[in-house]
Amino acid sequence: MTSTAMEVDRRGLGLGVGAHGVWGLFPAFWPLLDPAPPLEVLAHRILWTAVLMAGVLSVLRGWGALRALRLRGSLTVAAAAAFITVNWGMFIYGVAIDHVVEIALGYYMSPLVSVLLGVVVLRERLRVSQWVALGIATTAVVVLSVENGAPPWLGLVLAASFGIYGLLKKTVPLPATASLTAESLVLGPFALAAVVVFGMSGSGTVLGHGALHDVLLVLAGPATAVPLLLYGAAARRIPLTTLGTLTYITPTLQFLWGVLVNGEDMPLTRWVGFGLVWVALILFTIDLLRHSRSPRVGTSGRPGSTSRVVPG
């Protein structure tokens, strides 16, 4: 029994690392879709994700879950779809303007934003260490704002949209695959309309930049869905605390890509700001790991439990 459990854990760990590794390398994929503008890329991403997820749900015979969804659940799915659209769009835009380091900042901060939402919306109580982590993160935003001459709006919008999306996902009564399918189907008609408008206006890039470009636009769907499916498989095999810790792989790879590959500017003040964010995350993670060992603490109602929702 022990050997089997260890084998399952290793497989789950590998799936989790694979999912977050793909997300971490997203800044390498979206520039391949140039010269498509960010809005066209977003439209294709949503459209082909909807097509793929509809096929996956058909194979899994999961349409019954969507048919059983009531009005309140449908409205929650629609709201979640709106926030993940903002998140995906800002991500693609950030990559297009070479602000990958700020994208990484947003995803580093998203677990802390989830904690804050737990306090504001769910009336959850924080422990002292969690308040300290939030205070340090707030100081980091101030430092980065001073360094940049303005708040890091891109990172803040990414963190806020992702945090609210996670909060909404906690209340959607659907399995992960059905939930993503529902969200993409809500957005699919708008995405299709956008693709048609781009084509009719002559500003679209489909059929005008070679077959490889068209294939890459279609691959935006699998690039979105595959890591989510890997993550879903990992979530069934490894503990929530392990899964939450793996989340930091994504912004770390994005940060390294921005600094080492894109050569984005990192003055001393920016290093200080990121250093404060990392200290806050270390405190938050240590607190999470320490209290997760207590049998009196559940995972579903904990502040920060929305970190199970994944970056996109």
Side-chain angles (χ1 to χ4, degrees):
M1 291 292 291
T2 302
S3 174
T4 302
M6 290 177 64
E7 180 183 351
V8 170
D9 285 346
R10 287 196 296 269
R11 187 181 304 134
L13 188 64
L15 290 167
V17 170
H20 285 291
V22 172
W23 284 317
L25 293 176
F26 264 10
F29 175 72
W30 301 116
L32 298 178
L33 278 59
D34 286 345
L39 280 178
E40 186 185 10
V41 173
L42 176 62
H44 279 279
R45 181 180 188 182
I46 293 170
L47 176 62
W48 298 114
T49 298
V51 171
L52 178 61
M53 292 309 300
V56 169
L57 201 64
S58 297
V59 171
L60 297 177
R61 299 180 180 179
W63 289 101
L66 296 189
R67 288 192 291 269
L69 197 62
R70 300 190 176 185
L71 177 61
R72 183 173 180 177
S74 299
L75 291 175
T76 305
V77 167
F83 279 102
I84 199 59
T85 299
V86 172
N87 188 270
W88 286 357
M90 292 302 292
F91 188 104
I92 293 168
Y93 171 72
V95 171
I97 62 174
D98 291 326
H99 281 205
V100 177
V101 169
E102 193 171 342
I103 288 173
L105 174 67
Y107 287 118
Y108 272 130
M109 293 182 64
S110 63
L112 300 172
V113 170
S114 295
V115 172
L116 183 60
L117 288 171
V119 174
V120 175
V121 180
L122 303 179
R123 306 299 183 192
E124 294 174 338
R125 294 183 178 181
L126 298 189
R127 294 178 287 272
V128 173
S129 57
Q130 292 175 317
W131 278 116
V132 172
L134 283 176
I136 294 173
T138 302
T139 303
V141 171
V142 173
V143 170
L144 291 168
S145 299
V146 171
E147 180 272 329
N148 194 45
W153 292 117
L154 175 62
L156 292 175
V157 170
L158 282 169
S161 59
F162 189 59
I164 296 171
Y165 173 69
L167 185 66
L168 291 168
K169 290 280 279 187
K170 287 184 66 175
T171 65
V172 174
L174 290 173
T177 302
S179 181
L180 178 62
T181 304
E183 292 160 19
S184 59
L185 290 178
V186 167
L187 301 169
F190 299 100
L192 178 60
V195 170
V196 171
V197 169
F198 272 110
M200 293 182 65
S201 67
S203 58
T205 59
V206 177
L207 302 179
H209 292 80
L212 178 59
H213 177 73
D214 296 339
V215 169
L216 287 172
L217 286 173
V218 173
L219 287 178
T224 299
V226 168
L228 285 166
L229 295 174
L230 291 175
Y231 177 89
R236 292 190 294 269
R237 290 175 169 86
I238 58 179
L240 175 60
T241 49
T242 304
L243 203 62
T245 303
L246 292 179
T247 301
Y248 302 134
I249 293 175
T250 296
T252 299
L253 289 175
Q254 293 168 352
F255 176 80
L256 292 173
W257 186 273
V259 174
L260 301 179
V261 179
N262 282 8
E264 295 179 31
D265 191 29
M266 284 295 293
L268 178 60
T269 312
R270 203 174 199 189
W271 278 111
V272 171
F274 267 85
L276 289 170
V277 171
W278 292 329
V279 169
L281 287 174
I282 290 170
L283 286 175
F284 172 74
T285 304
I286 290 173
D287 176 85
L288 179 64
L289 292 172
R290 186 173 64 221
H291 286 85
S292 67
R293 297 191 183 100
S294 171
R296 295 174 297 177
V297 179
T299 57
S300 60
R302 284 182 43 77
S305 60
T306 53
S307 62
R308 286 191 65 179
V309 182
V310 291

